Amino acid sequence: MTQSNRFLPYTRWPDALAQRYRAKGYWRGEPLTAMLARQCELAPEAEAILCGERRFSYGELDAGSSRLAANLARHGLGVGDTALVQLPNVAEFYLVFFALLKAGIAPVNALFSHNRLELLSYAEQITPRLFIGSLTHPLFATKGCESELLISIGAELVLLDGNGGELGLTRWLGEGDAGDSPSVSFAPTPADEVAFFQLSGGSTGTPKLIPRTHDDYLYSVRRSNEICELGPHTRYLCALPAPHNFPLSSPGALGVFEAGGAVVLAPDPGPMSCFPLIARHRVNLTSLVPPAVSLWLQAAESDPSVRTQLESLDLLQVGGAKLAEAVASKIEPLLGCQLQQVFGMAEGLVNYTRLSDPDEKVIHTQGRPMSPDDEVRILDEAGNPVAPGEPGALHTRGPYTFRGYYQSPAHNARVFDSDGFYCSGDLVVQDADGYLTVVGRQKDQINRGGEKIAAEEVENQLLHHPAITHAALVSMPDSAMGEKSCAFIVTTEPGLKPLALRKFLRERGVADFKLPDRFETLDALPMTAVGKIDKQGLRARIAHLIAGNPLTTA
Ligand code: OOB
């Protein structure tokens, strides 16, 4: 076996671009774990993570992740191996992430809201040697019921957080080693190889994986830090799901570790969880999706004294889904902090409004690309550039935008053009200063308040129901979430109840956020002239129904 066979395959950038990104200093040949080593030299005692009543200094984060890396290496895991991880917002998420990176094991960090179907799909794609999960997840909460799932995942090593026994993660992170060999060596993958996989929001039947290299990801973190002005003073509240690209790297927790600041973990983005943590830990930066912003505004409006709890908060980043202008303009007056809009994607490209931008940009646009080498094309249906100010499909490539989903040649052929631009599926307008406004979507996806649902995935599951012959999932407008999902179905059994259908999907392992919010039964699905399901027609139909009948949601 040659040396390079040990590394996971991925679609590389063409040499000319890779050379350019190196020459410009974007790619520095440094692993993501270098940030820990650096902080340990500078200030090992400084606080890195605050999780409940627990505090981890940079020294502890570095030492704990090294111990786990060593224990995994002793077990024979290393470069070329993969891991499937599913943890909630706890310090162990970062300890495990850095440990895997240090040992050259590439993880898929599943969201905690993911269920059996997602875990199995990821496992099938990466054949992990290691699974790390949490006993607080419903899938693993009752002893015994998890074994079938674990067998299907097929990892030879399983570590569960919250389990003190044999499968306990804590023991593997702790002082004692899991083997008897006294010393063992481990190292991250080279910086231009796969470090880990990000999760695609998806628009197809199977959730796709995005290989991210140390070079490209670390650049996106460093550049985000410059734009968002992070430093050792930064105290960041991570309230969105920790593995998501936004709270992980835009600049997110990795930005904070790179800058030497502190990450405060919240279990969820609700005001009840977040406000006391902001006050207690003097948080000055956080990131939210739009529905959470609305909850924060409601809380501040109903009780102006909560403003004092938010006193330390300087900057609120909002992204993941379109922020309504009416909501955007209330943030500064009601929450007393500055707004930054963030329009990004796990595939790469991230746009920010800048801290010095006028209101006109911050309220009305989703920002502009962070890198001078982000290349953006806005194209009409024929693939020609649109006139400035006209809406078009966003295509992009650049120093931190991936070049292909993991082992998906057929899909890659559809979503990359011949110049290697990724067709994001977003419809945008670009203004004369390069700022983008998201005006719609081409991809068959529902954006439920920042949580992405691939229509095809849910439709496939609905079609497993013995009485459903046709299914189409479309978005419907919702004042709280921006969008919710509506399933149009054709059935052989009149009177199927939404409750029973949701139960059916849940039992099949569909994640709760993907369960249709509403079901509509039709005699037949409408078709377009070319014989595809007329989803535009269905969206118009449900929007019309809701407008006339605002109180029924199921
Ligand atoms: C972020 O990443 P993903 O991968 O969960 O979702 C990406 C998609 C985009 O293609 C777009 O459709 C939508 O989410 N989106 C927005 C948006 N931010 C993301 N649509 C409208 N306005 C926005 N501000 O969602 C993500 C990744 C990194 C940073 C921020 C968000």
Side-chain angles (χ1 to χ4, degrees), residues 244-246 250 319-322 342-346 366 426 438 443 447 452:
H244 190 265
N245 205 44
F246 186 14
S250 307
K322 182 77 181 265
V342 187
F343 162 38
M345 51 200 75
Q366 278 69 62
D426 292 309
V438 181
K443 55 190 166 193
N447 189 337
K452 315 302 184 315

Side-chain angles (χ1 to χ4, degrees), residues 141-452:
T142 1
K143 228 180 157 43
C145 78
E146 81 284 5
S147 47
E148 203 183 317
L149 172 61
L150 290 176
I151 289 167
S152 307
I153 288 174
E156 66 192 69
L157 181 60
V158 173
L159 302 177
L160 292 178
D161 188 30
N163 185 338
E166 179 125 347
L167 303 178
L169 173 64
T170 319
R171 198 166 65 94
W172 283 65
L173 279 164
E175 298 283 354
D177 63 44
D180 37 30
S181 125
S183 77
V184 63
S185 68
F186 53 87
T189 52
D192 60 349
E193 298 292 340
V194 177
F196 76 108
F197 296 94
Q198 256 301 352
L199 309 176
S200 158
S203 56
T204 59
T206 32
K208 297 274 184 291
L209 294 171
I210 302 160
R212 300 293 306 247
T213 64
H214 296 273
D215 271 336
D216 89 74
Y217 211 64
L218 189 49
Y219 169 59
S220 81
V221 168
R222 281 198 319 267
R223 181 64 190 134
S224 296
N225 275 6
E226 283 171 15
I227 289 171
C228 304
E229 299 178 9
L230 264 64
H233 65 279
T234 302
R235 299 180 69 80
Y236 173 68
L237 185 76
C238 176
L240 296 175
H244 190 265
N245 205 44
F246 186 14
L248 187 62
S249 70
S250 307
L254 292 185
V256 175
F257 298 144
E258 170 73 13
V263 173
V264 178
L265 283 159
D268 62 72
M272 300 275 274
S273 305
C274 293
F275 290 5
L277 286 171
I278 292 173
R280 176 176 172 198
H281 298 297
R282 306 292 300 162
V283 165
N284 48 27
L285 170 69
T286 192
S287 40
L288 291 179
V289 288
V293 176
S294 298
L295 295 179
W296 284 36
L297 290 171
Q298 268 171 34
E301 243 165 352
S302 65
D303 176 8
S305 76
V306 303
R307 271 282 294 270
T308 57
Q309 288 187 285
L310 304 185
E311 220 168 45
S312 58
L313 192 62
D314 296 325
L315 184 64
L316 173 59
Q317 302 182 289
V318 184
K322 182 77 181 265
L323 179 65
E325 293 181 9
V327 178
S329 58
K330 284 188 187 169
I331 289 175
E332 192 151 350
L334 279 175
L335 302 177
C337 58
Q338 197 183 338
L339 163 67
Q340 177 181 50
Q341 294 214 40
V342 187
F343 162 38
M345 51 200 75
E347 285 80 359
L349 181 71
V350 180
N351 305 274
Y352 294 103
T353 58
R354 304 305 202 255
L355 302 190
S356 57
D357 276 344
D359 274 3
E360 165 225 337
K361 295 285 195 240
V362 176
I363 306 282
H364 302 287
T365 82
Q366 278 69 62
R368 63 182 163 89
M370 67 166 145
S371 170
D373 277 80
D374 281 321
E375 298 176 72
V376 160
R377 288 180 182 164
I378 297 158
L379 305 174
D380 66 16
E381 276 175 16
N384 299 313
V386 298
E390 290 297 315
L394 171 66
H395 292 210
T396 184
R397 69 177 186 188
Y400 61 96
T401 295
F402 84 138
R403 306 289 297 206
Y405 291 106
Y406 189 57
Q407 294 182 330
S408 310
H411 187 61
N412 288 337
R414 280 194 294 276
V415 297
F416 285 87
D417 71 14
S418 52
D419 294 328
F421 280 66
Y422 165 60
C423 317
S424 73
D426 292 309
L427 295 173
V428 301
V429 170
Q430 190 167 36
D431 72 13
D433 305 313
Y435 285 71
L436 302 173
T437 302
V438 181
V439 295
R441 190 180 315 131
Q442 287 176 315
K443 55 190 166 193
D444 199 4
Q445 184 185 76
I446 292 114
N447 189 337
R448 194 178 186 277
E451 293 189 300
K452 315 302 184 315

